[in-house]
Amino acid sequence: LYEFNKLVSTQFFMVGEFEFIEKLRRKYSLGAIGDDCAVLPKDEKTDQVITADLLVEDIDFRLDWTKPEFLGHKALAISLSDIAAMGAEPKWAMLSLGIPENVWHSDFIDRFYDGWFSLADEFNVELIGGDVSRVPERLVIDSIVIGEVAKGKAILRSGARPGDLIFVTGKLGGAAAGLQLMKNGLSYESMKPDRDIELTLRQLQPLPQVNIAKLLKIQAIVTSMIDISDGLSSDLMHLCKESGVGAKVYADRIPVDENLRDLYRSEQERLEIALNGGEDFELLFTVPEAQLSSLNTWTFLRSAR
Amino acid sequence: LYEFNKLVSTQFFMVGEFEFIEKLRRKYSLGAIGDDCAVLPKDEKTDQVITADLLVEDIDFRLDWTKPEFLGHKALAISLSDIAAMGAEPKWAMLSLGIPENVWHSDFIDRFYDGWFSLADEFNVELIGGDVSRVPERLVIDSIVIGEVAKGKAILRSGARPGDLIFVTGKLGGAAAGLQLMKNGLSYESMKPDRDIELTLRQLQPLPQVNIAKLLKIQAIVTSMIDISDGLSSDLMHLCKESGVGAKVYADRIPVDENLRDLYRSEQERLEIALNGGEDFELLFTVPEAQLSSLNTWTFLRSAR
């Protein structure tokens, strides 16, 4: 049994950023800021959700660790994950690219778009705009995705109530372990064991839980949701903070990625990666205990991934 | 009398960028790309327009030439100008910032937001989201603005017809001349003559023609419109290309900024700056000759700036 407050004390790897957004929100009374997406009224039946994600070379990715196609995929995937976390369906996207001279004069951008469109086609997302600019060095990507959800039905971070049960899709820790493999000098191209490749792909080519989010929305039993980008512990804290609740997480129920078993001998170490690693882009959500029976299809959903 | 084709042959300062977007548009059949904003259906009465503009330090601005408040203003202004060029009204905005460590630990960002919100309040634009990330060096800003326009009434680049008359708001060349003053070593803080300050502010703190665009839309006589970001010659070319028309521009009718007179003795030089300088963020639009009388209020509109 883990106490939530204890868990989150060690993993504030972006110190200042959350506080900054919080300050901005208070100073300018920004009601729409603070969830995975902003929610805007569209028409009588529909709300619109919109998200932006900035990816910076050598901060969020390294060109020598990834392939252009993976990076194009991931740039879209992280924004689709935000849309999914609202229980919404992605529709349109924009892409702003700051491109260094040497990247501009290679086949990088063509391959980047191949990866981007390959994922976009899977979910019928249309590219409608963006911007292209030169940068002196280091690629910059701003990914914007617009989605739609039934009016008033966007699933916020703030809807969790005391007594709700906490769920997470998929397995955790794989993306962080994949990142560690690359930090240790393994490049994707040279990897042999399937295990290493699978973990690395969790980091380089994450799958946004768009379809699962759609099914959960239909069930209409989810009270709050967030995607796991910073790590289970951080993102659960965000959800708790917005909902004004606390949380208890049972260590033995955390779905640690099985591929971590060979790489990390200590169970404690595996657990910490699953808790604090981040970038798994699974969905974390809460369900009232009375609705537990509605989650009967859950096993099916999970295996459908 | 200037022949349009002759004019545009020298000022392709972003070679490759337009061609790249054109290639992308063809390859992936992207119908929504190519105007100042993408147009999306909203409800029965309204369309939505959306634009993104990427600003990169040392490419699009220099921190030692500007003030944080000016940069915040300009980041929003250039996107508001795109919204205005569709005849639309701005509503919501997102801001993605890539912030270097030293900028993060100064009062820069607070002052940047002061400038941003000061302009946003003027046009009732609400900040609804965005992203904040660290960058190793060089500030990056992606400015996204969403606007609204009556259904089917967005003014596209493609609506100009043979015989239409071409108009431009305000004066041209000031922003480019202001940039040249700073390139010559004058900093905004040290400037004395009002003329230099005025020109420099045209570059650092441009005024988007949001109100004029609103009035023009009501008149419903404008067949095509674009904002002057790259320069009159470039932007007129974009408009002509999308409309499938040519254009003649009368040299003596180009509204050259009066402040240029002391700085550039040659009329030819002044004219070239007004034609090719860019970043004036005035509006360029076309009107059928038969509607010319509807432009009676035009002098009023212009002086209202």
Side-chain angles (χ1 to χ4, degrees):
Chain A
L1 180 64
Y2 271 76
E3 288 289 337
F4 173 64
N5 283 331
K6 205 167 165 191
L7 282 178
V8 296
S9 60
T10 56
Q11 36 74 46
F12 245 173
F13 55 92
M14 295 194 294
V15 179
E17 206 164 297
F18 302 123
E19 290 86 335
F20 170 76
I21 291 168
E22 192 47 49
K23 195 183 85 176
L24 206 66
R25 187 156 83 153
R26 277 197 310 271
K27 182 171 176 187
Y28 298 105
S29 311
L30 306 173
I33 282 182
D35 223 299
D36 294 273
C37 296
V39 183
L40 296 178
K42 188 183 181 247
D43 57 29
E44 281 175 20
K45 291 179 174 176
T46 318
D47 282 333
Q48 198 178 50
V49 295
I50 181 163
T51 182
D53 293 283
L54 193 65
L55 289 175
V56 179
E57 184 180 345
D58 292 340
I59 300 285
D60 301 298
F61 61 88
R62 282 184 54 167
L63 289 185
D64 52 346
W65 287 359
T66 191
K67 294 200 295 182
E69 292 86 353
F70 289 161
L71 192 61
H73 171 107
K74 185 168 179 176
L76 178 59
I78 58 175
S79 296
L80 291 181
S81 182
D82 283 327
I83 300 286
M86 308 297 286
E89 199 178 340
K91 290 277 185 178
W92 296 286
M94 309 215 295
L95 202 48
S96 290
L97 297 179
I99 308 173
E101 198 73 19
N102 61 323
V103 172
W104 182 255
H105 292 118
S106 72
D107 64 351
F108 185 95
I109 298 297
D110 281 337
R111 294 175 58 193
F112 176 92
Y113 275 104
D114 284 345
W116 193 96
F117 276 103
S118 170
L119 183 63
D121 289 347
E122 200 174 315
F123 296 114
N124 292 312
V125 173
E126 185 187 353
L127 185 68
I128 58 164
D131 198 5
V132 177
S133 175
R134 304 292 172 95
V135 289
E137 51 198 351
R138 292 198 179 89
L139 187 65
V140 177
I141 306 158
D142 198 29
S143 163
I144 297 117
V145 176
I146 303 171
E148 288 183 0
V149 61
K151 193 145 215 75
K153 298 294 184 190
I155 303 170
L156 307 179
R157 297 179 179 180
S158 55
R161 294 294 164 259
D164 283 2
L165 300 171
I166 305 168
F167 291 85
V168 64
T169 62
K171 303 288 183 183
L172 300 180
L179 182 62
Q180 193 56 50
L181 284 174
M182 292 186 291
K183 280 186 180 166
N184 293 346
L186 271 180
S187 83
Y188 172 75
E189 303 290 352
S190 70
M191 279 179 195
K192 274 284 137 51
D194 289 349
R195 179 201 65 208
D196 292 358
I197 291 175
E198 200 176 312
L199 287 174
T200 309
L201 286 179
R202 291 279 293 168
Q203 167 63 224
L204 297 178
Q205 200 184 30
L207 289 174
Q209 300 302 310
V210 179
N211 287 331
I212 285 181
K214 220 185 294 181
L215 291 166
L216 285 172
K217 184 191 64 178
I218 290 163
Q219 293 184 327
I221 54 165
V222 171
T223 52
S224 73
M225 187 148 65
I226 189 173
D227 75 324
I228 299 186
S229 51
D230 298 331
L232 172 61
S233 52
S234 277
D235 291 315
L236 180 55
M237 187 197 66
H238 296 147
L239 192 147
C240 286
K241 215 173 158 188
E242 293 297 325
S243 294
V245 298
K248 283 184 180 175
V249 177
Y250 294 88
D252 58 354
R253 302 216 181 151
I254 293 175
V256 182
D257 193 311
E258 293 87 357
N259 289 308
L260 267 64
R261 214 170 292 156
D262 304 328
L263 293 171
Y264 301 95
R265 284 185 191 168
S266 137
E267 196 192 325
Q268 179 68 23
E269 208 175 354
R270 294 200 293 272
L271 200 58
E272 273 172 20
I273 292 171
L275 273 169
N276 308 328
E279 296 215 87
D280 287 312
F281 297 105
E282 298 292 347
L283 294 174
L284 178 72
F285 59 96
T286 54
V287 174
E289 195 164 6
Q291 302 274 13
L292 194 55
S293 58
S294 312
L295 269 182
N296 277 347
T297 53
W298 178 237
T299 311
F300 163 70
L301 290 180
R302 193 143 140 191
S303 62
R305 184 175 183 267
Chain B
L1 178 65
Y2 271 76
E3 288 287 338
F4 173 64
N5 284 331
K6 205 168 166 191
L7 281 178
V8 297
S9 61
T10 56
Q11 37 72 47
F12 245 173
F13 55 90
M14 294 195 294
V15 178
E17 206 163 298
F18 301 123
E19 290 87 335
F20 170 75
I21 291 169
E22 193 46 49
K23 195 182 86 176
L24 205 66
R25 188 156 81 152
R26 279 197 309 271
K27 181 171 176 185
Y28 297 105
S29 312
L30 305 174
I33 281 183
D35 224 299
D36 292 274
C37 297
V39 183
L40 297 178
K42 189 184 180 246
D43 56 29
E44 281 176 19
K45 292 179 175 177
T46 318
D47 282 333
Q48 197 177 53
V49 295
I50 181 164
T51 181
D53 293 284
L54 193 65
L55 289 174
V56 179
E57 184 181 344
D58 293 339
I59 300 285
D60 301 297
F61 60 88
R62 279 184 54 168
L63 289 186
D64 52 347
W65 287 358
T66 191
K67 294 201 296 181
E69 292 86 352
F70 289 161
L71 192 60
H73 171 107
K74 185 167 178 176
L76 178 59
I78 57 177
S79 296
L80 291 181
S81 182
D82 284 328
I83 300 286
M86 308 298 286
E89 198 178 340
K91 290 277 187 179
W92 296 287
M94 307 215 296
L95 202 48
S96 290
L97 297 179
I99 306 173
E101 197 75 16
N102 62 323
V103 172
W104 181 256
H105 291 119
S106 71
D107 64 351
F108 185 95
I109 298 297
D110 281 336
R111 295 174 58 193
F112 176 92
Y113 275 104
D114 284 345
W116 193 95
F117 275 103
S118 170
L119 183 63
D121 289 347
E122 201 175 314
F123 296 114
N124 292 313
V125 172
E126 186 188 351
L127 185 67
I128 57 165
D131 198 5
V132 177
S133 175
R134 305 292 173 95
V135 290
E137 52 200 351
R138 291 196 181 89
L139 187 65
V140 178
I141 306 159
D142 198 29
S143 164
I144 298 118
V145 176
I146 303 172
E148 287 183 1
V149 63
K151 191 145 216 79
K153 298 294 183 190
I155 303 170
L156 307 179
R157 297 179 179 180
S158 55
R161 294 293 164 258
D164 282 2
L165 301 170
I166 305 169
F167 291 84
V168 64
T169 63
K171 303 289 182 182
L172 300 180
L179 181 63
Q180 193 56 50
L181 284 175
M182 293 187 290
K183 279 186 181 165
N184 294 345
L186 271 180
S187 83
Y188 172 75
E189 303 289 353
S190 71
M191 280 179 196
K192 273 286 137 52
D194 288 349
R195 180 202 65 210
D196 291 0
I197 292 175
E198 201 176 309
L199 288 173
T200 309
L201 286 179
R202 291 279 294 167
Q203 167 63 224
L204 297 179
Q205 200 183 30
L207 289 175
Q209 299 303 310
V210 178
N211 288 330
I212 286 182
K214 221 185 290 181
L215 291 166
L216 285 173
K217 182 193 65 179
I218 290 164
Q219 293 184 326
I221 54 165
V222 171
T223 52
S224 72
M225 188 150 61
I226 188 171
D227 75 325
I228 300 186
S229 51
D230 298 333
L232 172 61
S233 52
S234 277
D235 291 315
L236 180 56
M237 187 196 67
H238 296 148
L239 192 147
C240 286
K241 214 173 158 188
E242 293 298 324
S243 293
V245 298
K248 283 184 178 174
V249 177
Y250 294 89
D252 58 355
R253 301 214 183 154
I254 293 175
V256 182
D257 193 310
E258 294 86 357
N259 290 307
L260 266 64
R261 213 169 293 155
D262 304 327
L263 293 172
Y264 302 95
R265 283 183 193 171
S266 137
E267 198 191 325
Q268 179 68 23
E269 207 175 354
R270 294 200 295 272
L271 200 58
E272 273 172 20
I273 291 172
L275 273 168
N276 308 327
E279 296 216 87
D280 288 312
F281 297 105
E282 298 292 347
L283 295 175
L284 178 72
F285 59 95
T286 55
V287 174
E289 197 164 5
Q291 302 275 10
L292 193 55
S293 58
S294 313
L295 268 182
N296 278 346
T297 54
W298 179 236
T299 312
F300 163 70
L301 289 180
R302 193 144 139 192
S303 63
R305 187 178 181 262

